Amino acid sequence: MDTLALWLANPLVIEGLPLIFATLMGIAILTYVVLDGYDLGVGILFPLARDKDEKDILMGSIGPFWDANETWLVLAVGLLLVAFPLAHGVILTALYVPVFLMLLGLIFRGVAFEFRAKAKEPHQQYWNWAFFGGSLLTALAQGYMLGNYVLGLQHGAVATLFGVVIGLCLAAAYALIGACWLMMKTDGTLQKKALQWAKEALSYTALGMVAVSMITPLASPRIWEKWFSVPDVFYLAPLPLLSALLFARLWQLLRQPRVLKDAVWQPFASVVGLMLLGFVGLAYSFFPYVVPDQLTIWQAASATGSLALMLVGALLVLPVMFGYTFFVYKIFHGKATGLSYH
């Protein structure tokens, strides 16, 4: 017991545990944005499918994955609650309305998934719109929360307008990754449609990333200093340069006929790369704060003993989640078919 007490009193442990949990939370958020991002994108694109058969294939392309993808959001929020309870209270209080709308959208999606497959054909259209509406509402709410977080959880007309713009841009980003997912999971006419949808969503996604990248340094003198002081500006230059190169590569890929053949996976990988670079940029901008310019990860962290105990559980859960995710994607790889329940 004395040894444990000495270990918990070690300055390296006190400093390191909040950092470990911040990293785990970041991994969970990024994994959620990528995995649930594409199935939200498929939902946003749903009304563009021509007929029932195409809609069935769209549902089938995400059917085995969507509910497991959402567990990463549960993990991220759970880590925020148990590891940074002060930040959890501040963030969720400031974002109460968009969080409520996001949960409402997720509920609509889940219910629509189950009921659409069992409803008679005349009634399926209502569940189609519920699936689309829930997906779009979730994406808009998440984008609004991102925009508001970037501005330091401020309120007012400017913050609201910026949140709405980022909400629309995030919905476009989800539509982009959703279209790229459909390019891999479908063929024929529907695959060609997915390619066109990806082209149309690309410019709005670029607008969103540029807006966040420009506004974030302007919102905080501290962040401006981190990005534009010498020599940091030279060390960080690869992030925007790589992002620009990936956008250029994606634009080029979506205009090549071979993209639907041997390069069909490359657009999806490019969008994942863009999301990773954007996340790294945001993480660097706000570190070490978990609530922008209010609470650092150390100020908001739970007691060291509690973090040590929870770390054991997190290290048990994370490999299981990654293993299950890999297993499901391996089992259900290949082209999608219509989703039905018997």
Side-chain angles (χ1 to χ4, degrees):
M1 189 65 68
D2 291 340
T3 303
L4 178 60
L6 288 173
W7 183 77
L8 292 176
N10 189 312
L12 291 177
V13 174
I14 295 173
E15 292 288 315
L17 282 175
L19 188 59
I20 291 171
F21 271 93
T23 302
L24 293 178
M25 191 171 68
I27 291 172
I29 292 172
L30 179 60
T31 305
Y32 169 78
V33 168
V34 171
L35 295 184
D36 206 39
Y38 78 73
D39 65 50
L40 285 170
V42 171
I44 292 170
L45 296 170
F46 203 68
L48 301 179
R50 180 186 58 192
D51 52 30
K52 181 181 181 300
D53 290 339
E54 287 189 351
K55 286 180 167 60
D56 286 346
I57 292 175
L58 261 63
M59 294 288 270
S61 72
I62 60 175
F65 315 111
W66 71 274
D67 48 354
N69 292 343
E70 291 180 358
T71 60
W72 291 97
L73 177 62
V74 176
L75 177 63
V77 175
L79 287 172
L80 178 64
L81 172 62
V82 299
F84 308 104
L86 291 178
H88 179 274
V90 172
I91 293 172
L92 265 67
T93 299
L95 301 176
Y96 183 85
V97 172
V99 168
F100 169 78
L101 293 175
M102 178 187 72
L103 294 176
L104 188 64
L106 291 174
I107 291 170
F108 268 103
R109 291 181 75 243
V111 172
F113 236 110
E114 302 298 330
F115 278 74
R116 181 187 180 277
K118 298 178 181 179
K120 300 296 183 182
E121 192 161 333
H123 302 291
Q124 280 192 349
Q125 59 176 322
Y126 304 118
W127 298 113
N128 290 342
W129 285 109
F131 180 60
F132 162 70
S135 300
L136 181 61
L137 180 61
T138 301
L140 291 174
Q142 290 178 1
Y144 182 89
M145 286 188 282
L146 173 61
N148 197 264
Y149 186 85
V150 165
L151 293 181
L153 303 178
Q154 298 177 14
H155 298 286
V158 174
T160 300
L161 178 60
F162 183 69
V164 170
V165 170
I166 298 304
L168 292 170
C169 292
L170 184 64
Y174 283 166
L176 173 61
I177 195 171
C180 292
W181 171 260
L182 290 173
M183 287 166 59
M184 297 190 297
K185 299 293 287 184
T186 61
D187 50 22
T189 303
L190 187 53
Q191 188 184 47
K192 293 177 181 177
K193 285 185 177 180
L195 174 60
Q196 185 59 39
W197 297 337
K199 291 178 183 178
E200 293 171 359
L202 180 59
S203 57
Y204 297 102
T205 303
L207 174 64
M209 288 197 72
V210 170
V212 171
S213 300
M214 291 179 62
I215 295 298
T216 302
L218 295 176
S220 168
R222 180 187 59 82
I223 296 176
W224 177 277
E225 182 70 17
K226 289 183 72 172
W227 275 94
F228 296 106
S229 62
V230 177
D232 291 353
V233 66
F234 300 110
Y235 299 148
L236 296 170
L239 282 178
L241 289 176
L242 285 173
S243 298
L245 287 174
L246 274 177
F247 268 114
R249 175 60 176 163
L250 189 54
W251 184 87
Q252 180 188 43
L253 279 170
L254 295 178
R255 282 155 180 78
Q256 292 181 357
R258 73 180 186 89
V259 73
L260 296 181
K261 298 176 184 177
D262 56 321
V264 71
W265 60 272
Q266 292 187 27
F268 187 84
S270 298
V271 179
V272 172
L274 284 169
M275 289 182 168
L276 174 60
L277 290 171
F279 183 82
V280 170
L282 282 174
Y284 174 81
S285 296
F286 291 106
F287 182 82
Y289 288 90
V290 65
V291 178
D293 295 326
Q294 296 182 43
L295 288 172
T296 68
I297 59 175
W298 293 280
Q299 292 170 336
S302 297
T304 305
S306 300
L307 290 178
L309 180 62
M310 290 183 290
L311 181 60
V312 176
L315 293 179
L316 291 174
V317 169
L318 273 171
V320 173
M321 292 184 65
F322 276 115
Y324 172 78
T325 300
F326 175 79
F327 177 76
V328 169
Y329 279 83
K330 181 175 177 58
I331 292 296
F332 293 100
H333 75 283
K335 299 297 182 180
T337 57
L339 181 67
S340 63
Y341 296 100
H342 302 285

